[in-house]
Amino acid sequence: MNRAALRRAARTEWGPLVGTVRRALVRKKFRAIPMTLTAVALTAVFQIVQNQSWGFQPVQRLGSVQAQLPWWLALLRTPLSLFVPALDLPVWGALAQVLLVFGIAEICLGKWRTLAISYVATLVGTMYARLAVHIGPGSVFGLPPEAAKVIDTGPSAAVVGLAVYVSWRYRAWFTCATVVLAMVAEAVIKPNLAGKEHIAAVAAMLVLCCADELRRRRKPRRDAYSGTGSDTGPDGGQRSGAPARRS
């Protein structure tokens, strides 16, 4: 494939996404990603505090999730668990993931949808951990009993979920497929709690994307018969003369 073909492929894959992000950053700069910057700051604060002799236990009580915890306690801790860096991974990785992926998602989806999707992906991973321990190590979907004691924190499941959802939404099919295949490879090479939770997050996002796709395909039909002057035609495309927009 020559250079010109590569450029065309790159524009097709990332052009709409890059254009959306660039316009927002040029127009608003850091004001385009207030939620992301707050998340980065919160992650950094949790990292600093949990590395203090007096701070580890309070952070664990606020945001540490384990499969052995009661349901109600795990649900209370799950939202903050996104921003508690994993103890066995470098914090700069978590900060970079949050800044890049959350930032792109906030611009493309809005802050509330970004938070909702990241929470769903994390919650699905937490739920899967309990199911996998119950299934046991005899199944490819199961985990050994000691996995119930593993501290399960960090933004990785949310990052994976957002990457799949945003790339699907912007028709970056190669990127979406790469993320999915990378998570499958991770689970095969290292079938631990984190790897299998990432697969659960990917599966949840693919279901969500398919449901969203069906909703979008049905909505133009309703608009076509409602006579309300919708900007979209029966085929879901933008009518001529209507301002471009992305929901």
Side-chain angles (χ1 to χ4, degrees), residues 8-186:
R8 286 195 299 270
R11 281 196 298 269
T12 301
E13 179 74 10
W14 298 303
L17 181 61
V18 171
T20 300
V21 173
R22 179 186 295 154
R23 285 191 296 271
L25 291 177
V26 168
R27 188 171 64 251
K28 296 183 178 179
K29 296 184 170 57
F30 288 116
R31 290 183 290 111
I33 52 171
M35 183 273 294
T36 298
L37 296 177
T38 302
V40 170
L42 186 59
T43 303
V45 168
F46 273 131
Q47 171 67 10
I48 294 170
V49 172
Q50 76 175 356
N51 283 331
Q52 307 303 314
S53 58
W54 50 267
F56 180 77
Q57 287 303 325
V59 170
Q60 295 302 300
R61 292 192 188 100
L62 285 172
S64 176
V65 176
Q66 296 169 289
Q68 66 181 0
L69 291 176
W71 267 107
W72 64 270
L73 185 56
L75 289 173
L76 283 176
R77 292 181 178 183
T78 296
L80 282 179
S81 73
L82 275 74
F83 310 110
V84 177
L87 296 172
D88 58 340
L89 296 174
V91 68
W92 62 263
L95 294 175
Q97 287 178 4
V98 172
L99 181 61
L100 179 63
V101 179
F102 274 63
I104 291 173
E106 183 176 4
I107 290 171
C108 295
L109 306 176
K111 62 181 177 181
W112 296 118
R113 186 175 295 183
T114 298
L115 283 173
I117 291 172
S118 60
Y119 179 70
V120 168
T122 303
L123 184 59
V124 166
T126 299
M127 294 172 63
Y128 170 79
R130 292 169 174 272
L131 177 62
V133 170
H134 178 73
I135 293 173
S139 169
V140 67
F141 299 107
L143 288 167
E146 53 268 24
K149 301 177 182 179
V150 174
I151 297 175
D152 184 18
T153 60
S156 58
V159 165
V160 169
L162 287 170
V164 170
Y165 189 89
V166 172
S167 58
W168 180 296
R169 187 77 181 273
Y170 276 77
R171 302 304 192 250
W173 301 122
F174 178 77
T175 303
C176 186
T178 299
V179 173
V180 172
L181 292 176
M183 294 304 101
V184 172
E186 177 194 18

